[in-house]
Amino acid sequence: MQKRILSYDLGDPICALATPWGTSALAVIRTSGEGSIELVSMLFSKPEALKNSTGGRLYHGFLLSKDTQEPLDEVMIAIFRAPHSYTGEDSAEIYCHGSLPGIRSLLEALRSVGFRPAEPGEFTYRAFVHGKMDLTRAEAVHEIVTAKTQKGHLLALHRLEGALEKTLKNIRSTLLDLQTSLEIQLDYPEEDAPPLPVPL
């Protein structure tokens, strides 16, 4: 069976359930992309509050059906303005009740105003593209989500905090110093060049 090729089109506003599928007290639906806040406001009972938000705030209200304007669920919406979001883009996170029919209706409503379902890992991919994290931290996000043991979770969390990134930066700095010293000694063999920063 041929694998489906993922399409990460950065021009699309995207949405996805951030919490597991299943019945629970609460669920979180994440959106991101250019115009995402305005699109969510088209369904919100207080649209101007979202449109005028400078970000970093929560808003209480109802998400409504685009066609009937009937309430779909009582929600809280967190607004994040670029670049101060997980992805580095404008983003809205919807905190709703965790019933599967309710979640489905909200996702369908979001698609009706222009969102497309996010591909697996697409939010983290966008964070990487927009410089919110390097590749080591992006990989650590996946490792945290899929960790099977507490030790594995803690090791991945350590990498997410930047431990591996700092180590790699130190190695890179040392190698650049070594390269510079070698080039000086090769270009000016008769001169008293400074000692190499690390032993050969």
Side-chain angles (χ1 to χ4, degrees):
M1 182 177 178
Q2 189 175 9
K3 290 185 177 180
R4 184 171 66 91
I5 298 175
L6 301 182
S7 175
Y8 290 156
D9 189 337
L10 296 178
D12 294 340
I14 56 174
C15 67
L17 181 66
T19 46
W21 278 102
T23 302
S24 61
L26 297 173
V28 179
I29 296 174
R30 177 181 283 176
T31 73
S32 186
E34 184 177 354
S36 59
I37 296 172
E38 289 72 20
L39 291 177
V40 172
S41 73
M42 294 171 62
L43 302 170
F44 193 49
S45 56
K46 304 171 186 176
E48 295 305 316
L50 300 191
K51 291 179 183 178
N52 297 328
S53 176
T54 57
R57 295 193 61 184
L58 275 171
Y59 298 89
H60 170 260
F62 292 85
L63 276 193
L64 312 174
S65 166
K66 176 186 174 183
D67 297 325
T68 67
Q69 293 298 296
E70 289 293 321
L72 299 175
D73 198 4
E74 184 179 17
V75 299
M76 296 286 289
I77 298 180
I79 296 298
F80 303 93
R81 291 288 183 182
H84 307 295
S85 70
Y86 177 77
T87 60
E89 304 173 324
D90 280 354
S91 177
E93 291 188 356
I94 302 166
Y95 307 99
C96 59
H97 294 99
S99 73
L100 290 178
I103 292 169
R104 289 193 185 96
S105 68
L106 294 186
L107 290 172
E108 288 172 3
L110 290 170
R111 288 194 289 270
S112 75
V113 294
F115 286 98
R116 70 162 171 82
E119 299 283 6
E122 187 167 3
F123 285 93
T124 299
Y125 172 77
R126 291 187 177 204
F128 170 69
V129 168
H130 292 113
K132 301 297 288 186
M133 62 177 68
D134 70 346
L135 188 57
T136 62
R137 296 190 189 196
E139 290 175 341
V141 172
H142 174 72
E143 292 171 3
I144 287 174
V145 173
T146 58
K148 303 298 184 186
T149 65
Q150 184 178 11
K151 183 177 181 180
H153 175 85
L154 292 176
L155 287 172
L157 183 61
H158 193 51
R159 284 192 287 277
L160 183 61
E161 292 173 342
L164 181 57
E165 178 190 12
K166 292 175 184 176
T167 300
L168 292 175
K169 283 184 176 179
N170 289 336
I171 293 173
R172 181 177 184 274
S173 178
T174 300
L175 290 174
L176 288 174
D177 289 343
L178 177 59
Q179 179 186 11
T180 301
S181 294
L182 285 171
E183 288 176 351
I184 291 173
Q185 293 189 25
L186 289 172
D187 290 341
Y188 305 99
E190 305 301 326
E191 301 292 333
D192 292 330
L196 295 176
V198 293
L200 290 175

